[in-house]
Amino acid sequence: MRLSVVLSLVAAYATPALAQLAISSGSLSVLNSVGITSASSEFTSSAPSPIESTTLSDGDVLKLAFAVTEAGVPVQPHQAMLLWTCPTTNQQVLSTVKVRKGGKGRYELDLSRAPSTLLSLPSPLSLSLLIGTFASPSALSLPLGSFSFSPSLTSSLPAEPSPPAGWETERFSLMPEITWTEREKEKTVGSFKAILGTVVVLAPWTIFLGVIASLSLPVSISSPSSLAFLASLFSFEALLATYWRSDTMKLIPTLPVFALIALATALSGRRALGVLKVRREMQASKAKKSQ
């Protein structure tokens, strides 16, 4: 018998008592625009005193003050919030309450600056105070009263914004019809411009053939230097025409080829002129000897 009593006493001391949250010195008041209290109540966790149905207008201020204790000792809870709930639609809005280390909490709401999420809730609304700590087995919920918003507060609410682009209703709703815009056909060059361009391209050859025809001395093109000069000229013109008509040839890779053909044309032309000079000198010397 004595052993059982001793064991029960040891178990009682070994099992820690669950911490109980309590609210003391609580007060809730509603002040109008001139600072006169229109509704108020004083409450504790053991004796709640919710305010009867009260209409909040523009310019009213809601003030809340309380102290939180745990086993009679002031404590700072991990969470302290005001919960606004619409009983008909079950919509809820939370407001955070700051509580200092001494356990004293204060909250003040100017209705003229109330968030639109709160004012958009359908009236009437029930207001509750929620307090919670990690050590407490359950949060403390205390009713504070029932409130409604006057039309002066709800009439100035902005229009409901459209849902963000990431919402399903935006992503999978009917989208505008896609219309394709075809590129316009390229304008062709007029016949006059085409003929003028052809004349400009062929003008050097016309001048070249005219000069050859006007020479008094016969010009022989059977020498290798003359043939090389004419071949380089034809190659340059052919490359220029190919580049002009091609859609794949690029300017930068084609420039070295142009440079090589131009160098070959210059060298072969100089060589052909030198051969022609020697031939003319020989013909002149023969003419003098024959005289």
mmCIF file of all heavy atoms in Angstrom, residues 102-133:
data_model
loop_
_atom_site.group_PDB
_atom_site.id
_atom_site.type_symbol
_atom_site.label_atom_id
_atom_site.label_comp_id
_atom_site.label_asym_id
_atom_site.label_seq_id
_atom_site.Cartn_x
_atom_site.Cartn_y
_atom_site.Cartn_z
ATOM 1 N N GLY A 102 6.752 41.000 -22.963
ATOM 2 C CA GLY A 102 6.055 41.013 -21.682
ATOM 3 C C GLY A 102 4.650 40.443 -21.753
ATOM 4 O O GLY A 102 3.946 40.405 -20.735
ATOM 5 N N GLY A 103 4.220 39.970 -22.947
ATOM 6 C CA GLY A 103 2.907 39.379 -23.092
ATOM 7 C C GLY A 103 1.810 40.370 -23.417
ATOM 8 O O GLY A 103 0.645 39.973 -23.532
ATOM 9 N N LYS A 104 2.124 41.649 -23.563
ATOM 10 C CA LYS A 104 1.102 42.652 -23.850
ATOM 11 C C LYS A 104 0.975 42.839 -25.359
ATOM 12 O O LYS A 104 1.973 43.028 -26.053
ATOM 13 C CB LYS A 104 1.455 43.976 -23.181
ATOM 14 C CG LYS A 104 1.411 43.911 -21.653
ATOM 15 C CD LYS A 104 1.669 45.274 -21.036
ATOM 16 C CE LYS A 104 1.572 45.206 -19.510
ATOM 17 N NZ LYS A 104 1.772 46.525 -18.875
ATOM 18 N N GLY A 105 -0.255 42.763 -25.809
ATOM 19 C CA GLY A 105 -0.524 42.921 -27.228
ATOM 20 C C GLY A 105 -1.454 44.078 -27.500
ATOM 21 O O GLY A 105 -2.361 44.363 -26.707
ATOM 22 N N ARG A 106 -1.242 44.732 -28.624
ATOM 23 C CA ARG A 106 -2.077 45.872 -29.025
ATOM 24 C C ARG A 106 -2.355 45.765 -30.519
ATOM 25 O O ARG A 106 -1.510 45.313 -31.303
ATOM 26 C CB ARG A 106 -1.395 47.205 -28.712
ATOM 27 C CG ARG A 106 -1.296 47.509 -27.214
ATOM 28 C CD ARG A 106 -0.697 48.885 -26.970
ATOM 29 N NE ARG A 106 -0.642 49.196 -25.547
ATOM 30 C CZ ARG A 106 -1.638 49.704 -24.842
ATOM 31 N NH1 ARG A 106 -2.800 49.973 -25.450
ATOM 32 N NH2 ARG A 106 -1.507 49.956 -23.552
ATOM 33 N N TYR A 107 -3.534 46.212 -30.883
ATOM 34 C CA TYR A 107 -3.941 46.210 -32.295
ATOM 35 C C TYR A 107 -4.849 47.408 -32.518
ATOM 36 O O TYR A 107 -5.718 47.706 -31.689
ATOM 37 C CB TYR A 107 -4.667 44.915 -32.661
ATOM 38 C CG TYR A 107 -5.158 44.875 -34.081
ATOM 39 C CD1 TYR A 107 -4.298 44.570 -35.123
ATOM 40 C CD2 TYR A 107 -6.488 45.149 -34.374
ATOM 41 C CE1 TYR A 107 -4.749 44.525 -36.431
ATOM 42 C CE2 TYR A 107 -6.945 45.116 -35.688
ATOM 43 C CZ TYR A 107 -6.076 44.806 -36.707
ATOM 44 O OH TYR A 107 -6.513 44.770 -38.002
ATOM 45 N N GLU A 108 -4.628 48.087 -33.633
ATOM 46 C CA GLU A 108 -5.440 49.252 -33.973
ATOM 47 C C GLU A 108 -5.726 49.229 -35.462
ATOM 48 O O GLU A 108 -4.810 49.046 -36.279
ATOM 49 C CB GLU A 108 -4.719 50.546 -33.590
ATOM 50 C CG GLU A 108 -5.535 51.800 -33.830
ATOM 51 C CD GLU A 108 -4.860 53.047 -33.277
ATOM 52 O OE1 GLU A 108 -4.099 52.926 -32.288
ATOM 53 O OE2 GLU A 108 -5.094 54.142 -33.829
ATOM 54 N N LEU A 109 -6.983 49.388 -35.832
ATOM 55 C CA LEU A 109 -7.410 49.360 -37.227
ATOM 56 C C LEU A 109 -8.219 50.610 -37.535
ATOM 57 O O LEU A 109 -9.284 50.829 -36.954
ATOM 58 C CB LEU A 109 -8.246 48.108 -37.516
ATOM 59 C CG LEU A 109 -8.850 48.017 -38.919
ATOM 60 C CD1 LEU A 109 -7.756 47.947 -39.980
ATOM 61 C CD2 LEU A 109 -9.777 46.823 -39.031
ATOM 62 N N ASP A 110 -7.666 51.431 -38.434
ATOM 63 C CA ASP A 110 -8.381 52.605 -38.934
ATOM 64 C C ASP A 110 -9.227 52.147 -40.118
ATOM 65 O O ASP A 110 -8.701 51.715 -41.151
ATOM 66 C CB ASP A 110 -7.382 53.687 -39.351
ATOM 67 C CG ASP A 110 -8.073 54.988 -39.710
ATOM 68 O OD1 ASP A 110 -9.327 55.017 -39.757
ATOM 69 O OD2 ASP A 110 -7.371 55.988 -39.952
ATOM 70 N N LEU A 111 -10.531 52.228 -39.990
ATOM 71 C CA LEU A 111 -11.413 51.700 -41.034
ATOM 72 C C LEU A 111 -11.272 52.431 -42.356
ATOM 73 O O LEU A 111 -11.563 51.875 -43.421
ATOM 74 C CB LEU A 111 -12.868 51.755 -40.559
ATOM 75 C CG LEU A 111 -13.384 50.527 -39.791
ATOM 76 C CD1 LEU A 111 -13.285 49.271 -40.630
ATOM 77 C CD2 LEU A 111 -12.635 50.326 -38.478
ATOM 78 N N SER A 112 -10.807 53.669 -42.313
ATOM 79 C CA SER A 112 -10.600 54.386 -43.579
ATOM 80 C C SER A 112 -9.412 53.823 -44.361
ATOM 81 O O SER A 112 -9.285 54.079 -45.556
ATOM 82 C CB SER A 112 -10.376 55.880 -43.311
ATOM 83 O OG SER A 112 -9.219 56.073 -42.496
ATOM 84 N N ARG A 113 -8.555 53.058 -43.682
ATOM 85 C CA ARG A 113 -7.403 52.435 -44.333
ATOM 86 C C ARG A 113 -7.471 50.917 -44.275
ATOM 87 O O ARG A 113 -6.456 50.239 -44.422
ATOM 88 C CB ARG A 113 -6.102 52.914 -43.673
ATOM 89 C CG ARG A 113 -5.890 54.418 -43.751
ATOM 90 C CD ARG A 113 -4.603 54.812 -43.071
ATOM 91 N NE ARG A 113 -4.390 56.256 -43.117
ATOM 92 C CZ ARG A 113 -3.342 56.881 -42.551
ATOM 93 N NH1 ARG A 113 -2.437 56.169 -41.891
ATOM 94 N NH2 ARG A 113 -3.232 58.193 -42.644
ATOM 95 N N ALA A 114 -8.638 50.391 -44.052
ATOM 96 C CA ALA A 114 -8.791 48.939 -43.957
ATOM 97 C C ALA A 114 -8.513 48.290 -45.310
ATOM 98 O O ALA A 114 -8.823 48.862 -46.367
ATOM 99 C CB ALA A 114 -10.202 48.588 -43.490
ATOM 100 N N PRO A 115 -7.910 47.104 -45.331
ATOM 101 C CA PRO A 115 -7.626 46.440 -46.613
ATOM 102 C C PRO A 115 -8.907 46.055 -47.339
ATOM 103 O O PRO A 115 -9.931 45.750 -46.719
ATOM 104 C CB PRO A 115 -6.812 45.208 -46.199
ATOM 105 C CG PRO A 115 -7.176 44.963 -44.771
ATOM 106 C CD PRO A 115 -7.450 46.304 -44.176
ATOM 107 N N SER A 116 -8.834 46.067 -48.660
ATOM 108 C CA SER A 116 -10.007 45.730 -49.469
ATOM 109 C C SER A 116 -10.428 44.280 -49.295
ATOM 110 O O SER A 116 -11.607 43.942 -49.475
ATOM 111 C CB SER A 116 -9.720 46.022 -50.941
ATOM 112 O OG SER A 116 -8.597 45.273 -51.395
ATOM 113 N N THR A 117 -9.470 43.395 -48.954
ATOM 114 C CA THR A 117 -9.832 41.991 -48.733
ATOM 115 C C THR A 117 -10.780 41.842 -47.543
ATOM 116 O O THR A 117 -11.626 40.944 -47.532
ATOM 117 C CB THR A 117 -8.562 41.163 -48.484
ATOM 118 O OG1 THR A 117 -7.792 41.769 -47.426
ATOM 119 C CG2 THR A 117 -7.708 41.099 -49.742
ATOM 120 N N LEU A 118 -10.624 42.721 -46.544
ATOM 121 C CA LEU A 118 -11.507 42.673 -45.385
ATOM 122 C C LEU A 118 -12.857 43.323 -45.693
ATOM 123 O O LEU A 118 -13.921 42.787 -45.356
ATOM 124 C CB LEU A 118 -10.841 43.365 -44.196
ATOM 125 C CG LEU A 118 -11.682 43.514 -42.926
ATOM 126 C CD1 LEU A 118 -12.126 42.156 -42.401
ATOM 127 C CD2 LEU A 118 -10.899 44.278 -41.864
ATOM 128 N N LEU A 119 -12.828 44.475 -46.348
ATOM 129 C CA LEU A 119 -14.072 45.190 -46.642
ATOM 130 C C LEU A 119 -14.934 44.457 -47.660
ATOM 131 O O LEU A 119 -16.147 44.698 -47.737
ATOM 132 C CB LEU A 119 -13.759 46.594 -47.143
ATOM 133 C CG LEU A 119 -13.014 47.514 -46.163
ATOM 134 C CD1 LEU A 119 -12.737 48.852 -46.812
ATOM 135 C CD2 LEU A 119 -13.802 47.688 -44.876
ATOM 136 N N SER A 120 -14.323 43.587 -48.459
ATOM 137 C CA SER A 120 -15.097 42.868 -49.482
ATOM 138 C C SER A 120 -15.875 41.688 -48.908
ATOM 139 O O SER A 120 -16.690 41.098 -49.629
ATOM 140 C CB SER A 120 -14.161 42.374 -50.588
ATOM 141 O OG SER A 120 -13.188 41.486 -50.064
ATOM 142 N N LEU A 121 -15.647 41.327 -47.636
ATOM 143 C CA LEU A 121 -16.395 40.223 -47.037
ATOM 144 C C LEU A 121 -17.845 40.640 -46.802
ATOM 145 O O LEU A 121 -18.115 41.764 -46.391
ATOM 146 C CB LEU A 121 -15.758 39.803 -45.708
ATOM 147 C CG LEU A 121 -14.368 39.162 -45.776
ATOM 148 C CD1 LEU A 121 -13.889 38.813 -44.377
ATOM 149 C CD2 LEU A 121 -14.382 37.917 -46.650
ATOM 150 N N PRO A 122 -18.784 39.728 -47.013
ATOM 151 C CA PRO A 122 -20.196 40.056 -46.756
ATOM 152 C C PRO A 122 -20.455 40.231 -45.257
ATOM 153 O O PRO A 122 -19.957 39.474 -44.432
ATOM 154 C CB PRO A 122 -20.961 38.849 -47.316
ATOM 155 C CG PRO A 122 -19.988 38.137 -48.195
ATOM 156 C CD PRO A 122 -18.638 38.401 -47.636
ATOM 157 N N SER A 123 -21.232 41.239 -44.923
ATOM 158 C CA SER A 123 -21.603 41.491 -43.521
ATOM 159 C C SER A 123 -22.842 40.663 -43.179
ATOM 160 O O SER A 123 -23.642 40.319 -44.055
ATOM 161 C CB SER A 123 -21.865 42.978 -43.314
ATOM 162 O OG SER A 123 -20.699 43.724 -43.577
ATOM 163 N N PRO A 124 -23.004 40.338 -41.860
ATOM 164 C CA PRO A 124 -22.150 40.680 -40.710
ATOM 165 C C PRO A 124 -20.969 39.720 -40.588
ATOM 166 O O PRO A 124 -20.991 38.620 -41.125
ATOM 167 C CB PRO A 124 -23.113 40.536 -39.537
ATOM 168 C CG PRO A 124 -24.067 39.475 -39.988
ATOM 169 C CD PRO A 124 -24.238 39.647 -41.457
ATOM 170 N N LEU A 125 -19.966 40.156 -39.800
ATOM 171 C CA LEU A 125 -18.750 39.378 -39.575
ATOM 172 C C LEU A 125 -18.564 39.133 -38.091
ATOM 173 O O LEU A 125 -18.834 40.009 -37.266
ATOM 174 C CB LEU A 125 -17.529 40.114 -40.135
ATOM 175 C CG LEU A 125 -17.535 40.475 -41.624
ATOM 176 C CD1 LEU A 125 -16.298 41.291 -41.958
ATOM 177 C CD2 LEU A 125 -17.596 39.219 -42.477
ATOM 178 N N SER A 126 -18.087 37.944 -37.765
ATOM 179 C CA SER A 126 -17.728 37.638 -36.382
ATOM 180 C C SER A 126 -16.227 37.774 -36.221
ATOM 181 O O SER A 126 -15.461 37.327 -37.078
ATOM 182 C CB SER A 126 -18.173 36.217 -36.013
ATOM 183 O OG SER A 126 -17.518 35.269 -36.849
ATOM 184 N N LEU A 127 -15.812 38.409 -35.119
ATOM 185 C CA LEU A 127 -14.406 38.674 -34.854
ATOM 186 C C LEU A 127 -13.954 37.819 -33.676
ATOM 187 O O LEU A 127 -14.611 37.801 -32.619
ATOM 188 C CB LEU A 127 -14.172 40.151 -34.557
ATOM 189 C CG LEU A 127 -12.749 40.586 -34.258
ATOM 190 C CD1 LEU A 127 -11.826 40.305 -35.444
ATOM 191 C CD2 LEU A 127 -12.702 42.066 -33.896
ATOM 192 N N SER A 128 -12.820 37.098 -33.867
ATOM 193 C CA SER A 128 -12.276 36.237 -32.820
ATOM 194 C C SER A 128 -10.787 36.504 -32.678
ATOM 195 O O SER A 128 -10.103 36.872 -33.643
ATOM 196 C CB SER A 128 -12.507 34.761 -33.140
ATOM 197 O OG SER A 128 -13.875 34.491 -33.314
ATOM 198 N N LEU A 129 -10.286 36.293 -31.458
ATOM 199 C CA LEU A 129 -8.861 36.435 -31.153
ATOM 200 C C LEU A 129 -8.270 35.041 -30.990
ATOM 201 O O LEU A 129 -8.759 34.230 -30.198
ATOM 202 C CB LEU A 129 -8.661 37.249 -29.874
ATOM 203 C CG LEU A 129 -7.214 37.411 -29.393
ATOM 204 C CD1 LEU A 129 -6.367 38.146 -30.425
ATOM 205 C CD2 LEU A 129 -7.178 38.146 -28.039
ATOM 206 N N LEU A 130 -7.200 34.756 -31.753
ATOM 207 C CA LEU A 130 -6.532 33.461 -31.723
ATOM 208 C C LEU A 130 -5.143 33.634 -31.139
ATOM 209 O O LEU A 130 -4.350 34.459 -31.617
ATOM 210 C CB LEU A 130 -6.439 32.862 -33.131
ATOM 211 C CG LEU A 130 -7.755 32.669 -33.891
ATOM 212 C CD1 LEU A 130 -7.489 32.082 -35.271
ATOM 213 C CD2 LEU A 130 -8.720 31.792 -33.108
ATOM 214 N N ILE A 131 -4.828 32.843 -30.107
ATOM 215 C CA ILE A 131 -3.516 32.867 -29.452
ATOM 216 C C ILE A 131 -2.997 31.441 -29.416
ATOM 217 O O ILE A 131 -3.723 30.504 -29.050
ATOM 218 C CB ILE A 131 -3.604 33.435 -28.014
ATOM 219 C CG1 ILE A 131 -4.219 34.834 -28.022
ATOM 220 C CG2 ILE A 131 -2.225 33.457 -27.367
ATOM 221 C CD1 ILE A 131 -3.375 35.881 -28.688
ATOM 222 N N GLY A 132 -1.717 31.252 -29.764
ATOM 223 C CA GLY A 132 -1.139 29.916 -29.756
ATOM 224 C C GLY A 132 0.336 29.937 -29.463
ATOM 225 O O GLY A 132 1.059 30.865 -29.832
ATOM 226 N N THR A 133 0.822 28.910 -28.759
ATOM 227 C CA THR A 133 2.238 28.697 -28.473
ATOM 228 C C THR A 133 2.559 27.235 -28.720
ATOM 229 O O THR A 133 1.680 26.365 -28.762
ATOM 230 C CB THR A 133 2.583 29.055 -27.023
ATOM 231 O OG1 THR A 133 1.802 28.232 -26.144
ATOM 232 C CG2 THR A 133 2.317 30.508 -26.732
#
